[in-house]
Amino acid sequence: MKEQYLKIIDIGHSGTSPDDAMSTLETFVSQCAHENKVRAIKVITGHGSGALRKILREWCDEQNGRFKDVIYGEDYDMFNKNAVNMRSECHQPIDNDFGKNNSAITYIWLW
């Protein structure tokens, strides 16, 4: 199977509760890490009230050491060394959200 360096999951527009959205994300992250074919995950939380984004980012903080880095959409630009390095590792030269200060997304960079 061909390696897919960046996968996208939209948990913000699924119509489920935040708990169900986070459960879906946890399963997705675990599967990607286990398969070892994905380098990063772009998580879409949507703008909304910001509650899901807050829950996601707190969850990422609790995963101390599990990820190479977590990059917030509002920090995803050419001035963020880890964002540039992640894009390079993922062979991701084109991403419409790069440099857009989009707080509705969070990138999880896997080991």
Side-chain angles (χ1 to χ4, degrees):
M1 183 168 139
K2 186 178 176 194
E3 201 164 339
Q4 185 175 357
Y5 297 105
L6 176 72
K7 278 198 171 184
I8 301 169
I9 183 169
D10 185 347
I11 61 171
H13 302 98
S14 62
T16 62
S17 71
D19 286 342
D20 288 343
M22 290 306 299
S23 179
T24 299
L25 177 66
E26 172 63 44
T27 301
F28 188 80
V29 169
S30 294
Q31 182 181 14
C32 289
H34 176 73
E35 290 174 356
N36 202 25
K37 293 179 167 85
V38 176
R39 304 281 21 112
I41 300 168
K42 179 179 183 177
V43 183
I44 301 169
T45 56
H47 290 285
S49 69
L52 184 57
R53 174 178 57 246
K54 183 178 185 240
I55 292 167
L56 164 68
R57 292 178 179 185
E58 287 172 355
W59 176 81
C60 287
D61 288 344
E62 293 168 2
Q63 305 299 309
N64 190 20
R66 184 176 181 191
F67 310 126
K68 195 178 238 183
D69 198 13
V70 175
I71 303 166
Y72 300 163
E74 55 270 32
D75 299 324
Y76 185 61
D77 58 32
M78 67 178 147
F79 303 107
N80 183 318
K81 182 180 177 181
N82 282 343
V84 171
N85 290 340
M86 182 194 77
R87 286 169 48 84
S88 176
E89 184 177 298
C90 292
H91 306 284
Q92 193 69 30
I94 299 172
D95 184 339
N96 292 335
D97 287 306
F98 189 68
K100 298 290 174 127
N101 193 29
N102 186 352
S103 63
I105 57 173
T106 301
Y107 292 84
I108 298 174
W109 189 8
L110 303 174
W111 288 106

